Amino acid sequence: MRRVIYPGSFDPVTNGHLDIIQRGCKLFDEIIIAVLVNPDKTPFFSVAERCEILTDVLKEIDRGECKLTVESFEGLLVQYAADRNAHAIVRGIRAISDYEYELQMALMNRRLEPNIETVFMMPAETYSYVSSRLVKEVFQLGARIDGLVPPLVEQRMRQKK
Ligand code: PNS
């Protein structure tokens, strides 16, 4: 049973995140999509809203035999991963610029919990420039975001505006 954690802010979930989850479904038996509760950030969507949106959009994913679970977590990621008996943490890498920060986190996480591996996955090139931060920025400035996020996310963002 290969259970992995795919952690993130998911504020909001993008098509890049979904692409990683879809690819992960071919490799793992269970993916826990874990939304970080981060009191330092002022989010667009609350953690509860993000979990609800994720649960809804994941219904569209062709998951095969893979179980997909959405949860929120607080505190140390490796502690949460160990509590869930996860084998690995999955992170998406879009470009070399992501790599430095991700490598730093992966090595720190390995130091803290040597039994949990970090697996880097690449999304489709189409999404190599897509980030939640940029999606929010261009949306708030009035630009179109279709194709970058699932239609439900765009709809929920419009309701918030
Ligand atoms: O989507 P994000 O914001 O890039 O995700 C970052 C995340 C959630 C993976 C990272 O902030 C994290 O793991 N936070 C939990 C606290 C923690 O364990 N920090 C030490 C990381 S080495």
Side-chain angles (χ1 to χ4, degrees):
M1 171 73 175
R2 294 276 147 206
R3 176 183 293 142
V4 297
I5 306 285
Y6 181 39
S9 303
F10 302 104
D11 187 33
V13 58
T14 67
N15 286 341
H17 293 126
L18 294 177
D19 184 80
I20 296 285
I21 295 170
Q22 180 94 66
R23 287 169 198 279
C25 283
K26 296 186 202 140
L27 300 174
F28 310 114
D29 299 310
E30 179 176 0
I31 305 174
I32 302 178
I33 296 105
V35 179
L36 173 70
V37 178
N38 186 350
D40 299 340
K41 275 194 190 173
T42 312
F44 188 91
F45 288 116
S46 69
V47 170
E49 286 172 320
R50 279 177 265 162
C51 288
E52 185 191 309
I53 293 170
L54 269 162
T55 305
D56 272 356
V57 298
L58 287 176
K59 288 179 188 151
E60 309 294 319
I61 288 257
D62 177 13
R63 67 190 66 197
E65 298 292 301
C66 182
K67 182 177 176 198
L68 297 177
T69 312
V70 177
E71 285 184 358
S72 59
F73 79 103
E74 279 178 84
L76 266 188
L77 173 61
V78 284
Q79 184 58 55
Y80 166 75
D83 291 345
R84 290 285 175 277
N85 287 320
H87 294 88
I89 291 163
V90 169
R91 291 287 289 169
I93 296 232
R94 293 161 298 194
I96 292 291
S97 50
D98 284 339
Y99 181 73
E100 281 189 37
Y101 171 61
E102 294 296 334
L103 177 69
Q104 214 180 359
M105 280 208 297
L107 294 179
M108 178 62 82
N109 284 335
R110 181 187 280 168
R111 179 195 154 98
L112 298 173
E113 186 46 82
N115 292 323
I116 297 178
E117 293 296 333
T118 295
V119 177
F120 292 145
M121 294 186 66
M122 286 84 66
E125 310 86 271
T126 340
Y127 304 123
S128 58
Y129 62 94
V130 179
S131 70
S132 300
R133 186 182 62 80
L134 274 186
V135 164
K136 281 183 286 196
E137 184 172 323
V138 300
F139 173 80
Q140 276 161 341
L141 294 171
R144 291 175 51 182
I145 54 167
D146 53 306
L148 306 179
V149 294
L152 174 79
V153 171
E154 186 173 358
Q155 199 184 316
R156 294 287 297 260
M157 288 178 81
R158 292 204 181 288
Q159 286 166 5
K160 279 247 160 184
K161 220 175 167 187

PDB file of all heavy atoms in Angstrom, residues 7-9 36 41 73 75-77 91 105 108-109, ligand 1:
ATOM      1  N   PRO A   7       1.130  17.861  -0.189  1.00  0.00           N
ATOM      2  CA  PRO A   7       0.775  19.021   0.633  1.00  0.00           C
ATOM      3  C   PRO A   7       0.836  20.327  -0.157  1.00  0.00           C
ATOM      4  O   PRO A   7       1.534  20.421  -1.172  1.00  0.00           O
ATOM      5  CB  PRO A   7       1.899  19.014   1.682  1.00  0.00           C
ATOM      6  CG  PRO A   7       3.091  18.528   0.906  1.00  0.00           C
ATOM      7  CD  PRO A   7       2.583  17.603  -0.155  1.00  0.00           C
ATOM      8  N   GLY A   8       0.141  21.321   0.342  1.00  0.00           N
ATOM      9  CA  GLY A   8       0.241  22.632  -0.286  1.00  0.00           C
ATOM     10  C   GLY A   8      -0.761  23.595   0.299  1.00  0.00           C
ATOM     11  O   GLY A   8      -1.527  23.246   1.198  1.00  0.00           O
ATOM     12  N   SER A   9      -0.733  24.808  -0.248  1.00  0.00           N
ATOM     13  CA  SER A   9      -1.695  25.824   0.180  1.00  0.00           C
ATOM     14  C   SER A   9      -2.982  25.682  -0.636  1.00  0.00           C
ATOM     15  O   SER A   9      -4.064  25.974  -0.135  1.00  0.00           O
ATOM     16  CB  SER A   9      -1.112  27.228  -0.020  1.00  0.00           C
ATOM     17  OG  SER A   9       0.099  27.350   0.695  1.00  0.00           O
ATOM     18  N   LEU A  36      -2.498  23.074   3.928  1.00  0.00           N
ATOM     19  CA  LEU A  36      -1.836  23.653   5.103  1.00  0.00           C
ATOM     20  C   LEU A  36      -2.690  24.741   5.748  1.00  0.00           C
ATOM     21  O   LEU A  36      -3.160  25.657   5.075  1.00  0.00           O
ATOM     22  CB  LEU A  36      -0.483  24.270   4.694  1.00  0.00           C
ATOM     23  CG  LEU A  36       0.242  25.054   5.791  1.00  0.00           C
ATOM     24  CD1 LEU A  36       0.759  24.118   6.873  1.00  0.00           C
ATOM     25  CD2 LEU A  36       1.376  25.877   5.219  1.00  0.00           C
ATOM     26  N   LYS A  41      -0.629  33.639   6.707  1.00  0.00           N
ATOM     27  CA  LYS A  41      -1.043  34.157   5.398  1.00  0.00           C
ATOM     28  C   LYS A  41      -2.502  34.611   5.419  1.00  0.00           C
ATOM     29  O   LYS A  41      -3.325  34.019   6.113  1.00  0.00           O
ATOM     30  CB  LYS A  41      -0.918  33.043   4.351  1.00  0.00           C
ATOM     31  CG  LYS A  41       0.469  32.899   3.751  1.00  0.00           C
ATOM     32  CD  LYS A  41       0.372  32.033   2.516  1.00  0.00           C
ATOM     33  CE  LYS A  41       1.718  31.621   1.975  1.00  0.00           C
ATOM     34  NZ  LYS A  41       1.587  30.652   0.881  1.00  0.00           N
ATOM     35  N   PHE A  73      -4.038  20.201   7.465  1.00  0.00           N
ATOM     36  CA  PHE A  73      -3.080  19.872   8.517  1.00  0.00           C
ATOM     37  C   PHE A  73      -2.427  21.135   9.062  1.00  0.00           C
ATOM     38  O   PHE A  73      -2.360  22.156   8.389  1.00  0.00           O
ATOM     39  CB  PHE A  73      -2.012  18.873   8.029  1.00  0.00           C
ATOM     40  CG  PHE A  73      -0.919  19.507   7.196  1.00  0.00           C
ATOM     41  CD1 PHE A  73       0.344  19.763   7.729  1.00  0.00           C
ATOM     42  CD2 PHE A  73      -1.145  19.851   5.870  1.00  0.00           C
ATOM     43  CE1 PHE A  73       1.363  20.342   6.956  1.00  0.00           C
ATOM     44  CE2 PHE A  73      -0.139  20.443   5.090  1.00  0.00           C
ATOM     45  CZ  PHE A  73       1.104  20.669   5.632  1.00  0.00           C
ATOM     46  N   GLY A  75       1.029  22.479  11.602  1.00  0.00           N
ATOM     47  CA  GLY A  75       2.311  22.084  12.202  1.00  0.00           C
ATOM     48  C   GLY A  75       3.250  21.459  11.195  1.00  0.00           C
ATOM     49  O   GLY A  75       3.145  21.706   9.986  1.00  0.00           O
ATOM     50  N   LEU A  76       4.143  20.619  11.701  1.00  0.00           N
ATOM     51  CA  LEU A  76       5.201  20.053  10.861  1.00  0.00           C
ATOM     52  C   LEU A  76       4.641  19.038   9.874  1.00  0.00           C
ATOM     53  O   LEU A  76       3.954  18.086  10.267  1.00  0.00           O
ATOM     54  CB  LEU A  76       6.226  19.341  11.730  1.00  0.00           C
ATOM     55  CG  LEU A  76       7.467  20.087  12.188  1.00  0.00           C
ATOM     56  CD1 LEU A  76       8.417  19.108  12.863  1.00  0.00           C
ATOM     57  CD2 LEU A  76       8.170  20.802  11.051  1.00  0.00           C
ATOM     58  N   LEU A  77       5.009  19.219   8.614  1.00  0.00           N
ATOM     59  CA  LEU A  77       4.525  18.312   7.567  1.00  0.00           C
ATOM     60  C   LEU A  77       4.978  16.871   7.811  1.00  0.00           C
ATOM     61  O   LEU A  77       4.199  15.925   7.662  1.00  0.00           O
ATOM     62  CB  LEU A  77       5.031  18.819   6.201  1.00  0.00           C
ATOM     63  CG  LEU A  77       4.780  17.918   5.019  1.00  0.00           C
ATOM     64  CD1 LEU A  77       3.291  17.675   4.793  1.00  0.00           C
ATOM     65  CD2 LEU A  77       5.419  18.521   3.766  1.00  0.00           C
ATOM     66  N   ARG A  91       5.823  16.572  -4.334  1.00  0.00           N
ATOM     67  CA  ARG A  91       5.815  18.004  -4.642  1.00  0.00           C
ATOM     68  C   ARG A  91       5.980  18.173  -6.154  1.00  0.00           C
ATOM     69  O   ARG A  91       6.737  17.432  -6.793  1.00  0.00           O
ATOM     70  CB  ARG A  91       6.971  18.718  -3.926  1.00  0.00           C
ATOM     71  CG  ARG A  91       6.809  18.784  -2.425  1.00  0.00           C
ATOM     72  CD  ARG A  91       5.759  19.756  -1.964  1.00  0.00           C
ATOM     73  NE  ARG A  91       6.169  21.148  -2.165  1.00  0.00           N
ATOM     74  CZ  ARG A  91       5.313  22.168  -2.031  1.00  0.00           C
ATOM     75  NH1 ARG A  91       4.038  21.968  -1.770  1.00  0.00           N
ATOM     76  NH2 ARG A  91       5.744  23.407  -2.209  1.00  0.00           N
ATOM     77  N   MET A 105      13.626  22.219   1.291  1.00  0.00           N
ATOM     78  CA  MET A 105      12.561  21.648   2.137  1.00  0.00           C
ATOM     79  C   MET A 105      12.696  20.131   2.219  1.00  0.00           C
ATOM     80  O   MET A 105      12.539  19.539   3.288  1.00  0.00           O
ATOM     81  CB  MET A 105      11.182  21.994   1.559  1.00  0.00           C
ATOM     82  CG  MET A 105      10.728  23.382   1.883  1.00  0.00           C
ATOM     83  SD  MET A 105       8.917  23.503   1.944  1.00  0.00           S
ATOM     84  CE  MET A 105       8.479  23.108   0.285  1.00  0.00           C
ATOM     85  N   MET A 108      15.545  19.210   4.534  1.00  0.00           N
ATOM     86  CA  MET A 108      15.173  19.485   5.932  1.00  0.00           C
ATOM     87  C   MET A 108      14.186  18.421   6.415  1.00  0.00           C
ATOM     88  O   MET A 108      14.330  17.877   7.521  1.00  0.00           O
ATOM     89  CB  MET A 108      14.557  20.885   6.054  1.00  0.00           C
ATOM     90  CG  MET A 108      14.108  21.232   7.459  1.00  0.00           C
ATOM     91  SD  MET A 108      15.471  21.241   8.653  1.00  0.00           S
ATOM     92  CE  MET A 108      16.129  22.881   8.360  1.00  0.00           C
ATOM     93  N   ASN A 109      13.216  18.109   5.560  1.00  0.00           N
ATOM     94  CA  ASN A 109      12.229  17.088   5.943  1.00  0.00           C
ATOM     95  C   ASN A 109      12.902  15.721   6.138  1.00  0.00           C
ATOM     96  O   ASN A 109      12.538  14.971   7.040  1.00  0.00           O
ATOM     97  CB  ASN A 109      11.118  16.994   4.892  1.00  0.00           C
ATOM     98  CG  ASN A 109      10.137  18.151   5.009  1.00  0.00           C
ATOM     99  OD1 ASN A 109       9.993  18.739   6.078  1.00  0.00           O
ATOM    100  ND2 ASN A 109       9.474  18.491   3.923  1.00  0.00           N
TER     101      ASN A 109
HETATM  102  O1  PNS B   1       1.746  25.200  -1.774  1.00  0.00           O
HETATM  103  P1  PNS B   1       2.898  25.668  -0.936  1.00  0.00           P
HETATM  104  O2  PNS B   1       2.510  26.932  -0.191  1.00  0.00           O
HETATM  105  O3  PNS B   1       4.165  25.830  -1.733  1.00  0.00           O
HETATM  106  O4  PNS B   1       3.170  24.516   0.173  1.00  0.00           O
HETATM  107  C1  PNS B   1       4.190  24.659   1.138  1.00  0.00           C
HETATM  108  C2  PNS B   1       4.152  23.545   2.200  1.00  0.00           C
HETATM  109  C3  PNS B   1       2.752  23.384   2.765  1.00  0.00           C
HETATM  110  C4  PNS B   1       4.572  22.245   1.564  1.00  0.00           C
HETATM  111  C5  PNS B   1       5.165  23.934   3.324  1.00  0.00           C
HETATM  112  O5  PNS B   1       4.945  25.256   3.709  1.00  0.00           O
HETATM  113  C6  PNS B   1       5.074  23.042   4.552  1.00  0.00           C
HETATM  114  O6  PNS B   1       5.421  21.893   4.521  1.00  0.00           O
HETATM  115  N1  PNS B   1       4.546  23.612   5.668  1.00  0.00           N
HETATM  116  C7  PNS B   1       4.328  22.874   6.920  1.00  0.00           C
HETATM  117  C8  PNS B   1       5.299  23.315   8.008  1.00  0.00           C
HETATM  118  C9  PNS B   1       6.626  22.574   7.863  1.00  0.00           C
HETATM  119  O7  PNS B   1       6.705  21.372   7.976  1.00  0.00           O
HETATM  120  N2  PNS B   1       7.693  23.370   7.618  1.00  0.00           N
HETATM  121  C10 PNS B   1       9.027  22.836   7.419  1.00  0.00           C
HETATM  122  C11 PNS B   1       9.304  22.558   5.943  1.00  0.00           C
HETATM  123  S1  PNS B   1      10.945  22.013   5.680  1.00  0.00           S
END
